[in-house]
């Protein structure tokens, strides 16, 4: 680890901290439908959208209708994405004449983009046309993010409202999240990225003449090696910047190129890297302030922010130190190899510090974009991203989903505090009762059910499970475990050695993304609906305050203990075992 | 329920047009006007031929050129098929590859420690850069092949070395394609 590395990490956290209040205040105004400086431009567009689509913006919805509208909209948009993928060969903006996407892959991709996951079982530059990337995939980057924000706001309203049975209007919240929060920042941000070298055009791929033509060995399908001279380089381009910015800001993570944000066209400089990192954390961090402001307790918002920041710093310290220590199997005192850490799968311009920082940020949230290849991380360095997802991505978290995820853990925390003193637990003036705790436990239990279940089936199935592995030994278990962990957590990053473009993985990972998103959302909305109906109880001497360092500490403990109890056995057979074997000098 | 279903269909069409078509077209239009060079991939042209992009790494294996990092993209630096090796830290293929490359490089220049980036593949397989150490490591070979003095080669490296952005962001680096093109310009191979 270097001083300069830590300087970058702490400066990043400082910038995120500085953005939290302004963004939080702005989002509160947007969702309370108060005036903002963008109204003169956006209000007419908003009104036009409602007129065209038949939305009554004054109508309030109960939690059931709010959830149903969200599910229906997700279903319809997912169907359209599937359709566009299946007929992209007959649509315009396909200069590379790419074929229609296969049905299982098209389903997996549609499910994963609808749920804000952005798992990519395909190589974008050889699979998806420009139109598919723009109108199907980047489109979902907006809509799934706006839906996440809308759901979080509905849950916050549930806490804030007193004796009311409605949570707002899904269509209005989703539209305002898109128009006010996402779109303006994306237009400005994408132009900034272009200025730094991210392409934005509709041209066919460029063919360049190599300066130094190469003789390469190619092994054909029959196993015979032939020698070939390569004289050209095909340079894939396209409308990259407009997708790149929403991919980070909406914590989606689906790359325009296969190599994602490690690709020099997606992320050309350390400055774009820093900018993209801030985009990933910005909304999740701002929403903690919105939570505090809308519920009348800004200090509660900061207490939650502190819990997240501490968990973030623990993760980044662990990953950074593991990667900086490097791989003992190549780093021996005899071979004079430069001791700068594990550079396999990392870019020179980012180095160890920025790669480790990104790996933690992208898995603290549901982003899943990568600027280095997690599969090649050291066992402990790669375990932290895995743990971040297994904890439910509540460290700033996905846009919206991070906030409602942490609220579930807050409810469990006040419940546990209530048990200790023998009183009915309260949260911001609302009594937390049996129904609320049951729903909170349901969201906590659904996730491991799918993740551990499918991982278990896959490792027991040599024909369709293990056959996709790129790495043997405990690392193989980590690859499969990581795949379902990211799917259930809607992350979308990968231990990318796993060949996931098979019928088994496409269908089960696709299903896990859907369960991970929608089975979690429904109990959370139920909690919000239940809390909204309740009377306000004034704070008393027996109330556990949710604004103190004690609360922050308890919240951190609950998040870590729930995660550890559920997943420690699987982690010990994967990354922890691999770590021990690596230091014993074992290879696979 | 039926009402929300109809809204969903109309909303899907309207937002797809706004976010999936209008937004990227507006950004493309503005980008092409404001930043035409960057928006089109920062291509480099020599004698009327496109020889590559400033941002995309390219393979070099002749001894007279600076070599980039090993690449796992296609057959090497395939910019239509980016990606990393995805080999895990205990994978025998990875360990054998790295240790084999370390031995070869030690034989080439025993005077310096082997730079880590020259024996590891990048995440994209298209890394346009090597570290200043990796460039310095190759100076004796390139100088010999081109009959240049080592100091002249070092001066060229210094010209193509970028420091940390604003003094603290990222890592120092050398653009391999630009360095090699400059070598060809000032001191051609033949």
């Amino acid at each position: 680890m270097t001083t300069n590395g830590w300087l970058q990490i702490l400066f990043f956290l400082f910038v995120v901290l500085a953005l939290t209040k302004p963004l939080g205040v702005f989002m509160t105004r947007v969702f309370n439908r108060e005036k903002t400086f963008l109204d003169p431009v956006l209000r007419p567009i908003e009104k036009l959208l409602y007129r065209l689509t038949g939305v009554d913006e004054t109508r309030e919805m109960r939690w059931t209708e709010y959830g149903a509208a969200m599910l229906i909209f997700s279903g319809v948009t997912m169907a359209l994405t599937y359709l566009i993928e299946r007929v992209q060969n007959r649509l315009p903006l396909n200069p590379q004449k790419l074929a229609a996407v296969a049905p299982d892959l098209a389903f997996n991709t549609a499910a994963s983009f609808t749920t804000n996951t952005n798992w990519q079982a395909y190589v974008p530059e050889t699979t998806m046309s420009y139109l598919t990337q723009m109108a199907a995939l980047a489109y979902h980057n907006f809509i799934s993010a706006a839906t996440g924000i809308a759901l979080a706001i509905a849950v916050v309203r549930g806490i804030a409202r007193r004796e009311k049975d409605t949570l707002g209007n899904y269509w209005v919240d989703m539209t305002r999240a898109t128009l006010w929060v996402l779109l303006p920042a994306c237009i400005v941000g994408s132009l900034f990225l272009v200025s730094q070298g991210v392409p934005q055009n509709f041209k066919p791929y460029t063919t360049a003449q190599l300066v130094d033509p190469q003789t390469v060995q190619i092994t054909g399908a029959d196993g015979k090696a032939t020698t070939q001279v390569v004289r050209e380089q095909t340079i894939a381009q396209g409308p990259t910047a407009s997708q790149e910015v929403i991919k980070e800001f909406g914590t989606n993570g689906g790359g325009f190129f296969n190599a994602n944000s490690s690709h020099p066209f997606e992320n050309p400089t350390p400055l774009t890297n820093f900018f993209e990192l801030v985009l990933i954390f910005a909304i999740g961090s701002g929403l903690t302030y919105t939570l505090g402001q809308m519920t009348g307790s800004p200090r509660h918002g900061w207490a939650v922010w502190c819990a997240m920041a501490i968990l973030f710093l623990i993760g980044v310290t662990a990953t950074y130190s593991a990667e900086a220590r490097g791989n003992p199997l190549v780093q021996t005192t005899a071979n004079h190899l430069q001791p700068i850490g594990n550079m396999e799968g990392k870019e020179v311009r980012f180095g160890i510090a920025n790669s480790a920082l990104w790996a933690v940020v992208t898995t603290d949230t549901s982003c899943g974009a990568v600027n280095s290849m997690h599969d090649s991380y050291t066992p402990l360095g790669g375990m932290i991203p895995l743990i971040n997802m297994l904890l439910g991505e509540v460290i700033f978290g996905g846009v919206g989903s991070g906030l409602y995820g942490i609220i579930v853990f807050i409810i469990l925390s006040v419940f546990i505090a209530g048990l200790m003193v023998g009183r009915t637990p309260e949260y911001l003036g609302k009594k937390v009762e049996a129904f609320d705790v049951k729903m909170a436990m349901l969201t906590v239990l659904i996730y491991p059910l799918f993740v551990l279940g499918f991982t278990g089936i896959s490792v027991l199935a040599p024909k369709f499970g293990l056959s996709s592995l790129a790495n043997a030994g405990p690392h193989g278990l980590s690859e499969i475990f990581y795949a379902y962990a990211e799917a259930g957590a809607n992350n979308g990053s990968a231990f990318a050695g796993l060949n996931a473009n098979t019928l088994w993985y496409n269908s089960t990972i696709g299903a896990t993304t859907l369960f991970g998103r929608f089975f979690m959302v429904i109990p959370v909305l139920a909690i919000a609906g239940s809390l909204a109906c309740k009377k306000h109880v004034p704070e008393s001497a027996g109330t556990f305050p949710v604004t103190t360092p004690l609360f922050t500490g308890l919240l951190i403990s609950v998040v870590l203990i729930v995660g550890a109890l559920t997943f420690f056995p699987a982690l010990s057979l994967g990354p922890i075992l691999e770590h021990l074997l690596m230091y014993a000098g074992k290879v696979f | 329920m039926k009402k929300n279903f109809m809204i969903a269909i109309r909303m899907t069409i309207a937002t797809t047009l706004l976010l999936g078509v209008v937004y990227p077209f507006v950004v493309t239009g503005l980008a092409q006007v404001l930043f035409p060079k960057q928006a089109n991939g920062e291509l480099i042209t020599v004698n009327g031929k496109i020889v590559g992009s400033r941002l995309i790494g390219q393979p070099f294996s002749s001894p007279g050129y600076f070599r980039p990092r090993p690449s796992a993209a296609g057959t090497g630096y395939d910019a239509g098929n980016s990606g990393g090796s995805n080999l895990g830290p205990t994978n025998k293929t990875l360990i054998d590859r790295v240790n084999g490359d370390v031995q070869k490089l030690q034989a080439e220049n025993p005077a310096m420690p082997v730079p880590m980036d020259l024996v590891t593949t990048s995440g994209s397989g298209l890394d346009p850069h090597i570290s200043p150490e990796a460039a310095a490591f190759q100076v004796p070979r390139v100088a010999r092949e081109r009959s240049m003095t080592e100091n002249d080669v070092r001066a060229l490296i210094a010209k193509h070395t970028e420091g940390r952005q604003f003094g603290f962001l990222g890592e120092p680096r050398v653009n391999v394609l630009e360095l090699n093109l400059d070598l060809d310009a000032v001191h051609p191979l033949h």
Side-chain angles (χ1 to χ4, degrees), chain A residues 334-364:
Chain A
N335 68 5
H336 285 296
L337 187 55
Q338 181 195 27
I340 59 160
N342 175 23
M343 280 298 286
E344 182 71 13
K346 298 188 180 68
E347 303 282 304
V348 167
R349 62 192 179 285
F350 306 140
I352 304 283
N354 278 303
S355 302
L357 172 62
W358 185 296
V360 172
V361 167
T362 199
T363 50
D364 278 343

Side-chain angles (χ1 to χ4, degrees), chain A residues 502-538:
Chain A
T502 65
L503 186 61
W504 166 252
Y505 284 110
N506 272 338
S507 46
T508 54
I509 289 175
T512 308
T513 62
L514 291 172
F515 299 147
R517 175 88 164 183
F518 298 119
F519 280 11
M520 307 277 238
V521 163
I522 292 166
V524 169
L525 276 177
I527 295 173
S530 145
L531 290 180
C533 296
K534 294 183 186 184
K535 274 207 284 272
H536 183 76
V537 279

Side-chain angles (χ1 to χ4, degrees), chain A residues 405-450:
Chain A
I406 199 79
I407 286 174
V408 167
F409 281 107
I410 293 172
I411 286 174
L412 293 179
S413 302
V414 296
F415 173 65
I416 289 168
L419 285 182
M420 288 193 235
V421 294
R423 279 179 55 107
T424 308
E426 291 160 25
Y427 176 42
L428 295 170
K430 292 293 175 71
K431 275 199 163 32
V432 175
E433 290 161 306
F435 176 80
D436 312 304
V437 177
K438 276 185 204 156
M439 287 296 135
M441 278 317 295
L442 193 59
T443 63
V444 172
L445 291 173
I446 285 170
Y447 175 67
L449 180 70
F450 289 108

Side-chain angles (χ1 to χ4, degrees), chain B residues 153-162 174 178-179 182-183 186:
Chain B
V153 179
R154 284 204 192 91
L156 269 187
I157 293 176
K159 188 178 151 199
H160 291 281
T161 302
E162 279 178 85
V174 180
E178 287 184 325
L179 173 61
D182 216 4
L183 267 179
V186 297

Side-chain angles (χ1 to χ4, degrees), chain A residues 115-117 250-252 281 284 308 311 359-369 384-407 409 447 482-493 516-517 520 559 563 567:
Chain A
T115 55
N116 196 262
T117 307
T251 62
N252 294 281
F281 262 10
M308 292 174 165
L311 286 166
V360 172
V361 167
T362 199
T363 50
D364 278 343
T365 64
S366 76
C367 184
I384 299 298
L386 181 57
I387 291 178
N388 281 337
M389 297 187 296
L390 295 173
L391 295 180
E393 289 172 350
V394 292
I395 308 167
F396 299 105
V399 290
S401 61
L403 189 73
Y404 61 71
I406 199 79
I407 286 174
F409 281 107
Y447 175 67
Y482 195 102
Y484 289 107
E486 69 71 30
N490 296 151
N491 186 277
S493 68
R517 175 88 164 183
M520 307 277 238
V559 169
F567 294 109

Side-chain angles (χ1 to χ4, degrees), chain A residues 5 36 66 84 103 120 145 164 283 308 446 570 581:
Chain A
T36 69
Y66 200 102
I84 293 176
Q120 297 175 286
K164 267 185 125 177
I283 295 179
M308 292 174 165
I446 285 170
L581 291 174

Side-chain angles (χ1 to χ4, degrees), chain A residues 99-148:
Chain A
V101 183
D104 59 330
L105 180 59
F107 159 73
N108 178 287
T109 307
S112 116
F113 277 75
T114 305
T115 55
N116 196 262
T117 307
N118 291 217
W119 168 262
Q120 297 175 286
Y122 57 90
V123 174
E125 51 265 51
T126 58
T127 315
M128 300 295 176
S129 75
Y130 291 164
L131 186 80
T132 309
Q133 299 250 41
M134 285 159 38
L137 306 185
Y139 166 70
H140 269 297
N141 287 356
F142 278 101
I143 291 301
S144 66
T147 294

